[in-house]
């Protein structure tokens, strides 16, 4: 039986204000999340990436140092994913040095389950996001290594969800997910181990269930397009208790889920 608690924040985008993001208020908006996490004492603090909005290397480093100082005040295991803005002008190594945690794919054990931290390339190229194919062997091996149910976390979602109405991605699916997202899902589904997949990047709360796997995305902390003119202030808590998980997103764009927590191999229709 699995028992774990995660506090989650996504797409902090510390940096300049834009028409839809209050990046200039990111540090202020982080305070309630950090206070909440320190009270909740989670097993893991999960940061889904895009901690900054990239401007230039000195500015980006300064903003990341500020964000890292806030998140580092929470004394627990920390997972920081790389987002596309995080590597716009800084390297993976620079991010790791400032945050003080590995910025690579790895597995984090929990009580009765595990977090599979999947870190493929996230830099957006002229044609969009590159294929994730080179990291699929690692994902396949990590999922096969244990019979415990897995929570896969990635900055970029792979559900193939509809993005109609999304401010950024309605007409930009090439930067919303990987071109080979169906193959990524196939690896997860064939493992029979994935109980939940959590991502950020698309700046809204969503649930998409594909072949028995719930794919969830979490709203950006500083986003305003769903809560104009104020930022969402979104952050989340994930509670896993036995065969159930509850996800609650706090802030101006609330969201709540309560679903079974079990490997995808136990969710399929009989005879399939």
């Amino acid at each position: 039986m699995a028992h774990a608690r995660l506090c989650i924040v996504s797409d902090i985008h510390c940096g300049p204000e834009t028409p839809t993001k209050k990046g200039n208020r990111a540090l202020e908006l982080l305070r309630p999340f950090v206070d909440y996490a320190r009270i909740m004492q989670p097993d893991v603090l999960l940061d889904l990436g895009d901690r900054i909005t990239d401007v230039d290397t000195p500015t980006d480093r300064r903003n990341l140092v500020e964000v890292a100082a806030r998140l580092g005040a929470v004394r627990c295991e920390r997972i920081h994913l790389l987002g596309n803005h995080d590597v716009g002008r800084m390297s993976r190594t620079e991010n790791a040095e400032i945050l003080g945690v590995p910025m690579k794919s790895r597995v984090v054990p929990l009580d009765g389950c595990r977090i599979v931290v999947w870190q493929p390339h996230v830099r957006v190229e002229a044609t969009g996001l590159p294929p994730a194919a080179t990291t699929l062997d690692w994902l396949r091996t990590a999922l096969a290594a244990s019979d415990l149910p897995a929570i896969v976390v990635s900055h970029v979602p792979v559900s193939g969800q509809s993005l109609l109405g999304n401010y950024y991605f309605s007409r930009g699916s090439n930067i919303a997910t990987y071109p080979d997202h169906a193959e990524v899902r196939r690896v997860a589904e064939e493992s029979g181990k994935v109980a939940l997949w959590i991502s950020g990047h698309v700046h809204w709360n969503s649930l998409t269930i594909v072949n028995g796997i719930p794919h969830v995305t979490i709203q950006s902390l500083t986003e305003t397009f769903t809560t104009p003119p104020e930022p969402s202030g979104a952050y989340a808590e994930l509670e896993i208790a036995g065969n159930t998980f509850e996800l609650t997103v706090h802030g101006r764009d609330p969201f709540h889920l309560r679903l079974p927590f079990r490997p995808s191999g136990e969710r399929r229709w009989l005879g399939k």
Side-chain angles (χ1 to χ4, degrees), residues 21-69:
K21 292 192 289 288
K22 298 289 185 181
N24 58 328
R25 293 175 55 187
L27 300 178
E28 164 201 336
L29 293 165
L30 268 178
R31 189 176 301 117
F33 169 68
V34 170
D35 290 345
Y36 182 81
R38 293 176 75 176
I39 292 168
M40 297 304 293
Q41 297 185 329
D43 299 293
V44 174
L45 184 154
L46 172 60
D47 153 31
L48 291 167
D50 273 358
R51 286 163 289 280
I52 61 164
T53 295
D54 56 300
V55 177
D56 56 60
T57 301
T59 301
D60 295 354
R61 287 185 62 89
R62 183 167 60 250
N63 286 338
L64 181 56
V65 166
E66 294 281 6
V67 170

Side-chain angles (χ1 to χ4, degrees), residues 23 32 46 55 71 87 107 113 123 127 177 182 193 230 234 262 266:
L46 172 60
V55 177
L71 297 180
V87 294
V107 177
C113 61
R123 189 185 295 273
T127 56
T177 190
K193 309 290 181 60
E230 291 297 312
R262 57 180 185 261
E266 299 177 11

